[in-house]
């Protein structure tokens, strides 16, 4: 079953968003920039003590950030509990509870 969960995630990521009706869904540009900004905001919000090298790391990441990859379908909370499994142990559906 674990391999089925992994194989299903690989299949999910291989989908072309436009091919499954999701071409206009979400923000397809600037993903990595948004992630880096989000991580910085989370660090600042949770600061309870100095973290050596954090500012330097953020600066280095910002200077060397790659171009964002092509959009793909992802599941932000993927795990066995986000799937429906058939009696044969095969993954039959992937669920997104927050949707």
């Amino acid at each position: 079953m674990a391999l089925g969960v992994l194989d299903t995630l690989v299949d999910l990521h291989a989908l072309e968003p436009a091919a499954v009706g999701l071409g206009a869904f979400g923000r397809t540009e600037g993903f990595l920039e948004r992630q880096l900004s989000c991580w910085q905001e989370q660090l600042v919000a949770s600061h309870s003590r100095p973290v050596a090298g954090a500012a330097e790391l953020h600066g280095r990441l910002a200077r060397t950030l790659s171009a964002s990859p092509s959009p793909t379908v992802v599941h932000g909370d993927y795990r066995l509990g986000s799937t429906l499994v058939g009696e044969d142990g095969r993954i039959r559906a992937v669920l997104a509870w927050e949707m």
Side-chain angles (χ1 to χ4, degrees):
M1 192 179 313
L3 291 176
V5 170
L6 292 173
D7 288 342
T8 301
L9 183 59
V10 169
D11 292 344
L12 184 66
H13 287 304
L15 293 174
E16 291 289 332
V20 293
L22 298 173
F25 186 74
R27 295 179 288 171
T28 59
E29 301 299 322
F31 172 75
L32 293 177
E33 293 88 352
R34 288 194 308 276
Q35 281 298 112
L36 185 58
S37 176
C38 180
W39 293 339
Q40 179 66 10
E41 290 173 16
Q42 290 172 336
L43 179 63
V44 168
S46 64
H47 243 183
S48 61
R49 61 178 170 75
V51 179
E56 292 82 3
L57 175 60
H58 181 265
R60 183 174 180 187
L61 289 171
R63 287 189 306 276
T64 60
L65 198 62
S66 301
S68 290
S70 297
T72 187
V73 176
V74 297
H75 191 296
D77 189 28
Y78 187 75
R79 62 188 191 288
L80 180 60
S82 298
T83 65
L84 294 179
V85 182
E87 290 183 16
D88 59 359
R90 294 181 57 207
I91 306 301
R92 298 296 179 190
V94 177
L95 308 173
W97 296 105
E98 68 278 0
M99 301 293 286

